Amino acid sequence: IIKVRTIFILNKINNMLDKYYENHFKNASIIKALVIGVKDGISDELSTNIQHIGISHLFVVSGLHVGIITGFLEKILEKSKLKNKDQNIIIYMFLGLYLIITNFLVSVLRVTLAYIIKNTLKKGFTSLDKMIINILIVLILNPFYAFNYSFILTYLISSMIIVINPLLSKKKGLHIYLLNTIIISFISIIITLPIVVNISSRINILSILYNCFYIPFVSYVVLPISILVSVLPFLEPFVTFVYSFFIGSIDALSNINFLSFTLPVLGSTGILMYYILFIFVIYMIEKKKWY
């Protein structure tokens, strides 16, 4: 192999950040996974434990991350005298930068497009219409995403949340939050089951309860401090305790095998039959034919 020359490509930015984390942080594997979506540093044992308790989705850079970025920018720009159009352009630029930083992960691309579509198509389009437009744009950019598990799962779950949104309570309170989380977690397991068993055949029903704790814990504690320590490395000793508790709790819960099942991998015919049956059951429930 002869090295001819060195050129700059956008993918190098993600690689440069990867090296930055490795050189400056003891907890680089967790921070990288949460902030830029690089999970190669996570040990096989921890990765298996995360899958076993059903919180793998929390280690995927997605709407949660983009929500923090856009929310922070919106608060700052509200105090400026810029027009809404100019504020949106600035936010689009930051989202584009984060897309590059995460190496154009499909989950980030989905949320970025969703934010742009929401601010562009305001009248005459339902949430499901906007989701379909989002899917079409991504598949036009890269048709092979149709065979990508990340693409399938992120759009399947997002579309499902839109469909079941009328079932969720709009009231406030801890018990309402827990109830909504349980509903979303349960339906997420049911709707993604044929796809997930092809990735990991072990299904843990207790993950519904685990998500009630881990979703807010990661959303409001682990992820924000991971982003903060990325900018202020000297804070790492203060967040090591949080990471230790986080990983320790995952290891402990992974040893609980109650309500954990191993299911057979489904082929294309099995998956098709599953979803036909699923739609039929939903239709019967809608018609109040519970039997």
Side-chain angles (χ1 to χ4, degrees):
I1 299 171
I2 301 172
K3 180 178 177 181
V4 179
R5 63 194 171 106
T6 301
I7 62 170
F8 176 79
I9 55 172
L10 291 176
N11 305 65
K12 275 192 175 183
I13 295 175
N14 182 271
N15 187 250
M16 289 162 59
L17 285 170
D18 186 357
K19 290 180 179 177
Y20 165 75
Y21 285 119
E22 288 292 341
N23 295 332
H24 292 84
F25 299 94
K26 292 180 181 178
N27 300 290
S29 60
I30 299 293
I31 303 173
K32 286 193 305 180
L34 290 169
V35 179
I36 61 172
V38 177
K39 291 181 278 190
D40 55 5
I42 295 180
S43 66
D44 292 339
E45 182 184 0
L46 180 58
S47 181
T48 301
N49 291 342
I50 289 167
Q51 280 189 358
H52 177 47
I53 67 173
I55 60 167
S56 300
H57 58 95
L58 296 177
F59 285 81
V60 176
V61 179
S62 60
L64 184 59
H65 302 67
V66 177
I68 290 175
I69 294 170
T70 54
F72 177 73
L73 290 172
E74 284 172 351
K75 289 290 183 184
I76 293 175
L77 293 172
E78 276 177 7
K79 298 178 181 179
S80 69
K81 295 181 180 179
L82 294 172
K83 297 178 181 178
N84 286 337
K85 184 180 178 181
D86 295 329
Q87 291 182 22
N88 287 335
I89 290 172
I90 292 172
I91 293 174
Y92 296 160
M93 290 170 63
F94 273 93
L95 291 179
L97 178 62
Y98 192 58
L99 255 178
I100 294 169
I101 288 172
T102 55
N103 221 0
F104 299 93
L105 288 173
V106 67
S107 53
V108 180
L109 181 58
R110 175 188 67 79
V111 185
T112 301
L113 283 173
Y115 187 83
I116 295 171
I117 292 168
K118 182 185 76 173
N119 291 318
T120 306
L121 305 176
K122 295 185 177 180
K123 293 182 180 180
F125 292 89
T126 65
S127 297
L128 207 55
D129 292 334
K130 293 174 183 177
M131 179 60 72
I132 292 167
I133 292 169
N134 193 325
I135 292 170
L136 290 173
I137 292 172
V138 173
L139 289 178
I140 288 170
L141 292 173
N142 186 352
F144 289 101
Y145 273 138
F147 306 99
N148 180 290
Y149 278 129
S150 295
F151 170 86
I152 294 168
L153 290 174
T154 191
Y155 279 103
L156 193 59
I157 293 173
S158 301
S159 301
M160 177 274 300
I161 291 173
I162 291 173
V163 172
I164 69 163
N165 190 56
L167 301 177
L168 303 177
S169 176
K170 302 300 184 289
K171 297 178 182 178
K172 294 183 179 180
L174 180 60
H175 67 290
I176 297 296
Y177 169 80
L178 291 174
L179 179 62
N180 287 343
T181 302
I182 289 171
I183 291 171
I184 291 173
S185 297
F186 176 73
I187 297 181
S188 293
I189 289 175
I190 297 298
I191 199 76
T192 60
L193 191 62
I195 312 298
V196 170
V197 293
N198 287 342
I199 303 170
S200 174
S201 58
R202 199 175 180 185
I203 303 297
N204 192 343
I205 303 300
L206 287 176
S207 64
I208 296 171
L209 298 178
Y210 296 155
N211 276 290
C212 292
F213 167 72
Y214 280 110
I215 289 175
F217 183 61
V218 172
S219 302
Y220 300 113
V221 180
V222 180
L223 181 55
I225 66 171
S226 298
I227 295 173
L228 185 63
V229 80
S230 298
V231 183
L232 305 171
F234 63 86
L235 293 176
E236 190 182 15
F238 298 99
V239 302
T240 299
F241 171 75
V242 176
Y243 286 140
S244 299
F245 170 76
F246 184 46
I247 295 171
S249 65
I250 291 171
D251 291 341
L253 292 174
S254 67
N255 293 320
I256 301 173
N257 293 314
F258 178 62
L259 291 179
S260 180
F261 306 97
T262 300
L263 299 176
V265 173
L266 289 176
S268 301
T269 305
I271 292 173
L272 182 62
M273 290 175 65
Y274 179 92
Y275 283 117
I276 289 172
L277 179 62
F278 179 82
I279 292 167
F280 176 74
V281 169
I282 296 299
Y283 176 76
M284 287 292 116
I285 291 174
E286 195 176 42
K287 296 292 184 183
K288 301 193 185 304
K289 295 181 179 179
W290 296 93
Y291 57 89

